[in-house]
């Protein structure tokens, strides 16, 4: 799929490239936002956390641009086949990235709140977890840029790692909260942060599935969720 | 994202009966081969669209289906085309009868320079389909109704057909084609001379006629093929490159040449 020949009408290619560029920019911003939010958490830096919250509007604005462009292209160019799939995928991916941005923003808000509580030890797992989800987003977006279905499949397979991190953190936080009621507030925030990262992993997987669809015309089937905390007692 | 099967409205469901079959059909204009070994089944229930760039052979193939190529002196047709299992190129086939069973509508509306009534009544009268004036009136009204033209034409049946608008003239030609109660209707670019409203009326008409007649349409307008047909065949340089469900051809075609053509990357 990477060897797309040019359209006879060249401005169509310009539009597609612009849409792809908007989605890539959103992806890059999302990666940065997650990284910055987690840094703010680890550095216990409320100002850095609030900067992440403020930056989220840029992702929202890019999503609005991508949506406008995609709708215009559908209306004016009547895209077909691989073009249609790519535009629809870009539209859906941009909505997912916007949601990922919201999760990053929520992590930053909680990071800011956590600066007012005593540090707790299980937080050290968060940077490792966030590295995995950031890589998943990066690779999903690379797969989008390269129209590479195989790379997209590889992203989907990595979601299990994120789920494992979350399962393990969930269990240690339960123990932690039972040990000392003073740990409940920071642990609850930390649990939400981990849940946000886990959801980001799911969304990155969705992006990869859309890339797979765009590249192949087939729906990707074959992922089973490994987050089993919903059944924990 | 869960995988799911989406069935758009207007898509074919249920059983499909083959109306016409073509096997290894080649057409030569003098020494030049215009069509190379095309095989296809045309079903009763579906609208079949032929798409492809100019000169790809789609109209040539369409014209084979009711032996319109017989009228071109240099044309030679090879292969086998069957209507309900009978070879239409076999010696004992009555071509006039064949063209009554396989009617045709052309690119440019071409009503006879006669009244609206006579345009529709012409075919039934030469084929002796009406025993008296009342029967003929019934055929004319029924045909104009099915062509969606009755309300516009009923008060001016004896005005000239050529005095109607282009879209009305084309629907008159469709009424004329269905007046002889054909089994198959071939349409060669039926909307390319019409404005968007008249085009929409023809497309709606095609949808209403679907099932009653096997319909084959040649069109340069890919959106039109996507809108009106359930099966689409893509022709290129005299060969049929791909034939399949319209929704597949326009969302996920198999052949790179099909994809390049429908996404505007051809050439």
């Amino acid at each position: 799929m990477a060897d797309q020949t040019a359209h006879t009408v060249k401005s169509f290619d310009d539009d597609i490239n612009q849409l792809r560029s908007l989605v890539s920019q959103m992806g890059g911003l999302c990666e940065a936002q997650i990284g910055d939010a987690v840094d703010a958490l680890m550095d216990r830096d409320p100002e850095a956390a609030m900067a992440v919250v403020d930056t989220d509007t840029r992702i929202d604005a890019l999503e609005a641009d991508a949506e406008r462009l995609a709708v215009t292209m559908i209306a004016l160019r009547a895209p077909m086949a691989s073009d249609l799939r790519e535009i629809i995928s870009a539209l859906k991916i941009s909505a997912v990235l916007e949601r990922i941005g919201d999760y990053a923003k929520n992590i930053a808000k909680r990071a800011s709140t956590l600066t007012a509580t005593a540090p707790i030890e299980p937080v050290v797992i968060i940077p490792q977890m966030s590295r995995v989800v950031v890589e998943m987003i990066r690779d999903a977006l690379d797969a989008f840029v390269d129209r590479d279905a195989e790379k997209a499949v590889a992203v989907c397979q990595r979601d299990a790692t994120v789920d494992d991190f979350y399962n393990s953190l969930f269990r240690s936080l339960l123990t932690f909260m039972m040990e000392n009621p003073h740990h409940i507030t920071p642990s609850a925030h930390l649990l939400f942060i981990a849940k946000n990262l886990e959801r980001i992993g799911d969304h990155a997987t969705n992006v990869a599935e859309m890339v797979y669809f765009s590249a192949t015309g087939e729906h990707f089937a074959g992922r089973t969720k490994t987050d089993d905390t919903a059944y924990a007692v | 994202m869960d995988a799911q099967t989406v069935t758009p409205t207007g898509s074919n469901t249920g059983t499909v009966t083959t109306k016409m079959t073509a096997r290894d059909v080649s057409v030569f204009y003098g020494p030049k081969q215009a069509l190379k070994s095309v095989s296809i089944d045309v079903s009763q229930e579906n609208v079949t669209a032929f798409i492809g760039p100019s000169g790809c052979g789609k109209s040539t193939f369409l014209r084979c289906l009711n032996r319109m190529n017989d009228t071109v002196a240099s044309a030679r047709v090879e292969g086998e085309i069957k209507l309900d299992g009978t070879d239409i190129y076999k010696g004992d086939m009555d071509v006039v009868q064949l063209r009554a069973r396989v009617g045709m509508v052309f690119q440019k509306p071409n009503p006879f320079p006669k009244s609206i009534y006579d345009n529709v009544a012409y075919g039934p009268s030469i084929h002796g389909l009406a025993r008296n004036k009342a029967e003929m009136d019934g055929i004319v009204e029924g045909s104009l109704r099915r062509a969606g033209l009755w309300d516009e034409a009923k008060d001016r049946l004896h005005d000239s057909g050529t005095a109607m608008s282009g879209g009305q003239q084309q629907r008159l030609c469709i009424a004329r084609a269905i007046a002889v109660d054909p089994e198959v209707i071939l349409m060669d670019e039926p909307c390319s001379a019409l404005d968007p409203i008249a085009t929409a009326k023809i497309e709606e008409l095609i949808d209403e006629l679907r099932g009653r007649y096997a319909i084959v349409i040649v069109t340069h307008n890919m959106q039109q093929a996507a809108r009106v047909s359930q099966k689409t065949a893509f022709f290129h340089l005299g060969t049929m490159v791909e034939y399949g469900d319209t929704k597949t051809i326009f969302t996920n075609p198999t052949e790179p040449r099909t994809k390049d053509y429908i996404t505007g990357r051809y050439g």
Side-chain angles (χ1 to χ4, degrees), chain A residues 78-107:
Chain A
M80 294 279 196
S82 55
D83 292 333
L84 177 64
R85 297 200 307 266
E86 180 154 33
I87 292 165
I88 296 290
S89 297
L91 186 63
K92 292 176 76 176
I93 290 171
S94 68
V96 170
L97 291 174
E98 190 276 330
R99 192 85 192 97
I100 289 177
D102 290 345
Y103 284 124
K105 178 167 135 185
N106 188 267
I107 293 172

Coordinates of all heavy atoms in Angstrom, one line a residue, chain A residues 78-107:
Chain A
A78 N -15.6 13.0 -3.4 CA -16.2 11.7 -3.5 C -15.1 10.6 -3.6 O -15.0 9.9 -4.6 CB -17.1 11.6 -4.8
P79 N -14.3 10.4 -2.5 CA -13.3 9.5 -2.5 C -13.8 8.0 -2.6 O -14.9 7.7 -2.2 CB -12.5 9.7 -1.2 CG -13.6 10.3 -0.3 CD -14.5 11.1 -1.2
M80 N -13.0 7.2 -3.2 CA -13.3 5.8 -3.4 C -12.2 4.9 -2.9 O -11.1 5.3 -2.8 CB -13.5 5.5 -4.9 CG -14.6 6.2 -5.6 SD -16.1 5.3 -5.3 CE -17.2 6.0 -6.5
A81 N -12.6 3.6 -2.6 CA -11.7 2.5 -2.3 C -10.6 3.0 -1.3 O -11.0 3.4 -0.2 CB -11.1 2.0 -3.6
S82 N -9.3 2.8 -1.6 CA -8.3 3.1 -0.6 C -8.3 4.5 -0.1 O -8.1 4.8 1.1 CB -6.9 2.7 -1.1 OG -6.7 3.4 -2.3
D83 N -8.7 5.5 -1.0 CA -8.8 6.9 -0.5 C -9.9 7.0 0.5 O -9.7 7.7 1.5 CB -9.1 7.8 -1.7 CG -8.0 7.8 -2.7 OD1 -6.8 7.6 -2.3 OD2 -8.2 8.1 -3.9
L84 N -11.1 6.4 0.2 CA -12.2 6.5 1.1 C -11.8 5.9 2.5 O -12.1 6.5 3.5 CB -13.4 5.8 0.5 CG -14.6 5.7 1.4 CD1 -15.2 7.1 1.6 CD2 -15.7 4.8 0.7
R85 N -11.2 4.7 2.4 CA -10.8 4.1 3.7 C -9.8 4.9 4.5 O -9.9 5.0 5.7 CB -10.2 2.7 3.4 CG -11.2 1.7 2.7 CD -10.7 0.3 2.9 NE -9.3 0.1 2.5 CZ -9.0 -0.4 1.3 NH1 -9.9 -0.6 0.4 NH2 -7.7 -0.5 1.0
E86 N -8.9 5.5 3.7 CA -7.9 6.3 4.4 C -8.5 7.5 5.1 O -8.2 7.9 6.2 CB -6.8 6.7 3.4 CG -5.7 7.6 4.1 CD -4.4 7.5 3.4 OE1 -4.4 7.3 2.2 OE2 -3.4 7.5 4.1
I87 N -9.4 8.2 4.4 CA -10.0 9.4 4.9 C -10.9 9.1 6.1 O -10.9 9.7 7.2 CB -10.8 10.2 3.8 CG1 -9.8 10.7 2.8 CG2 -11.7 11.3 4.4 CD1 -10.5 11.2 1.5
I88 N -11.7 8.0 6.0 CA -12.6 7.6 7.1 C -11.7 7.2 8.3 O -12.0 7.6 9.4 CB -13.5 6.4 6.7 CG1 -14.4 6.8 5.6 CG2 -14.2 5.8 7.9 CD1 -15.5 7.7 6.0
S89 N -10.6 6.5 8.0 CA -9.7 6.1 9.1 C -9.1 7.3 9.8 O -9.0 7.4 11.0 CB -8.6 5.2 8.6 OG -9.2 4.0 8.1
A90 N -8.7 8.3 9.0 CA -8.0 9.5 9.5 C -9.0 10.2 10.4 O -8.7 10.7 11.5 CB -7.6 10.4 8.4
L91 N -10.3 10.2 10.0 CA -11.3 10.9 10.7 C -11.5 10.2 12.1 O -11.6 10.8 13.1 CB -12.6 10.8 9.9 CG -13.9 11.6 10.4 CD1 -13.6 13.1 10.5 CD2 -15.1 11.3 9.5
K92 N -11.6 8.9 12.1 CA -11.8 8.1 13.3 C -10.5 8.2 14.2 O -10.6 8.3 15.4 CB -12.2 6.7 13.0 CG -13.5 6.6 12.3 CD -13.8 5.1 11.9 CE -14.2 4.3 13.1 NZ -14.6 2.9 12.6
I93 N -9.4 8.1 13.6 CA -8.1 8.1 14.4 C -8.0 9.5 15.1 O -7.6 9.5 16.2 CB -6.9 7.9 13.5 CG1 -6.9 6.4 13.0 CG2 -5.6 8.2 14.2 CD1 -5.8 6.1 11.9
S94 N -8.4 10.5 14.4 CA -8.2 11.9 15.0 C -9.2 12.0 16.2 O -8.8 12.5 17.2 CB -8.5 13.0 14.0 OG -9.9 13.0 13.6
A95 N -10.3 11.3 16.1 CA -11.2 11.4 17.3 C -10.6 10.6 18.4 O -10.7 11.0 19.6 CB -12.6 10.8 16.9
V96 N -10.0 9.4 18.1 CA -9.4 8.6 19.2 C -8.2 9.4 19.8 O -8.0 9.4 21.0 CB -8.9 7.3 18.6 CG1 -8.1 6.5 19.6 CG2 -10.1 6.4 18.2
L97 N -7.4 10.0 19.0 CA -6.3 10.8 19.5 C -6.7 11.9 20.4 O -6.1 12.2 21.5 CB -5.4 11.3 18.4 CG -4.6 10.3 17.6 CD1 -3.9 10.9 16.4 CD2 -3.6 9.5 18.5
E98 N -7.8 12.5 20.0 CA -8.4 13.6 20.9 C -8.7 13.0 22.3 O -8.4 13.6 23.3 CB -9.6 14.2 20.2 CG -10.1 15.5 20.9 CD -11.1 15.2 22.1 OE1 -11.7 14.1 22.1 OE2 -11.1 16.0 23.0
R99 N -9.3 11.8 22.3 CA -9.6 11.2 23.5 C -8.4 10.8 24.3 O -8.3 11.0 25.5 CB -10.4 9.9 23.2 CG -11.1 9.3 24.4 CD -12.4 9.9 24.7 NE -12.9 9.5 26.0 CZ -12.8 10.2 27.1 NH1 -12.2 11.3 27.1 NH2 -13.3 9.7 28.2
I100 N -7.3 10.3 23.6 CA -6.1 10.1 24.3 C -5.5 11.3 25.0 O -5.0 11.3 26.1 CB -5.0 9.5 23.3 CG1 -5.5 8.1 22.9 CG2 -3.6 9.5 23.9 CD1 -4.6 7.4 21.8
G101 N -5.7 12.5 24.2 CA -5.2 13.7 24.8 C -6.0 14.0 26.1 O -5.4 14.5 27.1
D102 N -7.3 13.7 26.1 CA -8.1 13.9 27.3 C -7.6 13.1 28.5 O -7.5 13.6 29.7 CB -9.6 13.6 27.1 CG -10.2 14.6 26.2 OD1 -9.6 15.7 26.0 OD2 -11.3 14.3 25.7
Y103 N -7.2 11.9 28.2 CA -6.6 11.0 29.3 C -5.3 11.6 29.8 O -5.1 11.6 31.0 CB -6.4 9.6 28.8 CG -7.6 8.8 28.6 CD1 -8.0 8.2 27.4 CD2 -8.5 8.6 29.7 CE1 -9.1 7.4 27.3 CE2 -9.6 7.8 29.6 CZ -10.0 7.3 28.4 OH -11.1 6.5 28.3
A104 N -4.5 12.1 28.9 CA -3.2 12.7 29.3 C -3.5 13.9 30.2 O -2.8 14.1 31.3 CB -2.4 13.1 28.1
K105 N -4.5 14.7 29.8 CA -4.9 15.9 30.6 C -5.3 15.4 32.0 O -5.0 16.0 33.0 CB -6.0 16.6 29.9 CG -6.6 17.8 30.6 CD -7.4 18.6 29.6 CE -8.7 19.0 30.2 NZ -9.6 19.7 29.2
N106 N -6.1 14.3 32.1 CA -6.6 13.9 33.3 C -5.4 13.4 34.2 O -5.4 13.6 35.4 CB -7.6 12.7 33.1 CG -8.3 12.3 34.4 OD1 -7.9 11.4 35.1 ND2 -9.4 13.1 34.8
I107 N -4.5 12.7 33.6 CA -3.3 12.3 34.4 C -2.6 13.5 35.0 O -2.2 13.5 36.1 CB -2.3 11.5 33.5 CG1 -2.9 10.2 33.0 CG2 -0.9 11.3 34.2 CD1 -2.1 9.4 32.0

